[in-house]
Amino acid sequence: MSEVGGCVCSYVSGDLHDGCMTIHSVDVINGSLLPVLTRDIDNNGGNFFLDFENAQPTEAERQVWEKVNEVLREAVHVLEDLQSYSGAGEAIRQAIQHPNEDRMQEKAWSAVRPLVFKLKKFYEFSLKLEGALHGLLRFLTSTRCSPTQHLEQEQALARQFAEILHFTLRFDELKMTNPAIQNDFSYYRRTLSRMRINKVSSEEESEVNNELANRMSLFYANATPMLKTLSDATTKFVSENADLPLENTTDCLSTMASVCKVMLETPEYRKRFASEDTVLFCLRVMVGVIILYDYVHPAGAFIKSSKIDMKGCIKVLREQQPNSVEGLLNALRYTTKHLNDETTSKQIKSMLQAN
């Protein structure tokens, strides 16, 4: 036994293969990063504790971690801005009801302009998120190590991948419950169109030109725009890296889903969470990787031979307070690609039916 940073740890033994350690036996008290089983790590099937609360980057991870961290810092402000987004509904209603009153039109235009610049910022952030995801996937799916070894040994990057998924589902939950977003943007576009017809110049048009407005319109028309961005980005990553076996990406996703499920259903893992918020974090991450897997894997996540234990994952969701997971169950019901395929078992479809 040795004492490291205030934690009592047993000695770790293993074999080094191409820079990746195969760990045979570990016990950690008040610790975080290492498996607690005495089996070869590649056979753990997600049975290790992934420290979503405290994982810090190693030197090997640092360069990628710092780039992604910049994006994640911005993500906090994006969620704050979205959460406080109240819309210009009343001003727009008054403008529509009094089409000949210039004062009402000006008031609505003044109210909606800053909001559309916020929406532009959200859309532009989705592009940064795509870049961050590609950086993480390049590292976590490389052929240096198995997917399980990557996640277990590069926990700071695995944590960032999880934070991106958590942000994505949270953003979409907030967006889905705020109809003002699409209403504001529709009014903005209609008003700009009228101004063009009437040959009224507008400095805003240079800020959100027609091409950008079209892209933003497609983005916000989607019920879950950030999740679609991530799904498309993952699919794009696979197609752009044809030399990388598809299994490296799908196994990374399925292992992450398994890790989350095991941590949530195993009392000795779950009690290590310092905050109850980590439970919801794990649930969001689990659902996020299931959806990505369902888009990337040719046969999807719901087939019998899937590497994701879908029945187990749904069971874990069903065991939580209903009001905390209904949005996540809806994400599986309505944003996955293969749920309604004939290859999906009736039991899984039944487990996902709304109460």
Side-chain angles (χ1 to χ4, degrees):
M1 285 277 195
S2 66
E3 220 172 281
V4 183
C7 298
V8 182
C9 307
S10 66
Y11 177 72
V12 181
S13 66
D15 305 315
L16 194 65
H17 301 289
D18 299 325
C20 284
M21 178 74 80
T22 298
I23 296 170
H24 300 305
S25 178
V26 155
D27 189 19
V28 179
I29 301 172
N30 295 329
S32 54
L33 302 182
L34 301 174
V36 295
L37 301 183
T38 56
R39 290 183 287 163
D40 185 289
I41 188 172
D42 286 326
N43 297 322
N44 276 349
N47 268 303
F48 61 89
F49 187 79
L50 210 168
D51 191 356
F52 286 140
E53 294 176 328
N54 303 302
Q56 295 300 315
T58 61
E59 278 310 304
E61 297 169 274
R62 188 164 299 279
Q63 188 176 4
V64 173
W65 184 89
E66 286 177 350
K67 287 180 181 176
V68 176
N69 195 47
E70 284 182 28
V71 177
L72 287 171
R73 277 204 301 265
E74 189 176 344
V76 174
H77 301 299
V78 168
L79 283 182
E80 287 172 353
D81 284 349
L82 180 57
Q83 204 151 10
S84 62
Y85 190 102
S86 55
E90 183 56 31
I92 290 171
R93 273 191 294 276
Q94 291 297 326
I96 291 170
Q97 287 170 10
H98 305 90
N100 298 319
E101 290 192 27
D102 290 345
R103 187 176 60 85
M104 294 292 188
Q105 306 309 310
E106 287 167 10
K107 188 176 178 182
W109 184 242
S110 297
V112 88
R113 274 171 52 201
L115 294 172
V116 167
F117 294 146
K118 270 190 183 181
L119 297 181
K120 178 192 174 193
K121 186 178 83 169
F122 299 163
Y123 168 72
E124 289 173 341
F125 180 75
S126 75
L127 305 180
K128 295 179 188 177
L129 204 66
E130 179 180 339
L133 180 69
H134 279 201
L136 287 172
L137 286 175
R138 269 192 294 275
F139 206 97
L140 293 171
T141 64
S142 74
T143 53
R144 289 181 298 106
C145 303
S146 72
T148 306
Q149 287 171 322
H150 273 301
L151 291 176
E152 194 279 326
Q153 294 171 40
E154 292 149 11
Q155 293 224 354
L157 297 188
R159 177 186 179 185
Q160 287 186 320
F161 182 29
E163 286 171 342
I164 285 175
L165 290 161
H166 179 264
F167 162 83
T168 296
L169 270 77
R170 183 66 185 132
F171 181 96
D172 288 346
E173 283 170 7
L174 291 169
K175 185 264 178 186
M176 275 195 285
T177 55
N178 195 339
I181 288 172
Q182 279 181 274
N183 293 339
D184 291 350
F185 194 61
S186 295
Y187 177 81
Y188 177 85
R189 294 204 75 184
R190 289 197 307 271
T191 305
L192 265 188
S193 180
R194 281 200 307 272
M195 290 167 81
R196 275 191 223 104
I197 292 167
N198 296 330
K199 294 187 168 63
V200 177
S201 63
S202 167
E203 61 187 51
E204 284 74 29
E205 191 162 4
S206 61
E207 287 285 336
V208 183
N209 61 37
N210 206 40
E211 184 188 345
L212 176 58
N214 287 336
R215 292 201 303 271
M216 286 174 62
S217 195
L218 286 171
F219 177 77
Y220 288 111
N222 198 288
T224 53
M226 283 293 177
L227 194 53
K228 179 160 181 17
T229 296
L230 242 57
S231 300
D232 289 349
T234 309
T235 305
K236 184 180 175 184
F237 172 81
V238 169
S239 65
E240 287 180 350
N241 293 272
D243 56 327
L244 188 72
L246 174 64
E247 291 74 24
N248 284 39
T249 303
T250 55
D251 285 358
C252 173
L253 298 173
S254 62
T255 302
M256 181 79 94
S258 297
V259 167
C260 291
K261 180 181 80 73
V262 168
M263 289 200 299
L264 287 162
E265 67 188 5
T266 308
E268 59 263 38
Y269 288 168
R270 190 158 170 164
K271 71 183 180 185
R272 290 201 210 173
F273 297 156
S275 168
E276 267 301 302
D277 291 343
T278 308
V279 173
L280 184 54
F281 182 93
C282 268
L283 291 165
R284 280 204 182 104
V285 172
M286 182 179 75
V287 168
V289 287
I290 288 170
I291 294 167
L292 293 188
Y293 183 99
D294 195 50
Y295 271 86
V296 174
H297 194 286
F302 298 97
I303 54 167
K304 193 173 182 181
S305 59
S306 170
K307 289 189 177 180
I308 295 178
D309 173 13
M310 284 306 307
K311 291 175 188 173
C313 290
I314 297 167
K315 182 172 177 285
V316 166
L317 284 166
R318 287 291 191 188
E319 287 169 350
Q320 314 306 313
Q321 289 293 326
N323 62 331
S324 69
V325 295
E326 192 58 30
L328 298 177
L329 288 166
N330 282 338
L332 290 177
R333 289 173 188 134
Y334 306 123
T335 66
T336 47
K337 187 177 180 181
H338 294 279
L339 175 62
N340 294 317
D341 289 1
E342 289 181 6
T343 50
T344 302
S345 74
K346 289 180 181 176
Q347 186 181 359
I348 287 176
K349 288 179 180 178
S350 174
M351 289 176 79
L352 277 176
Q353 280 180 353
N355 294 330

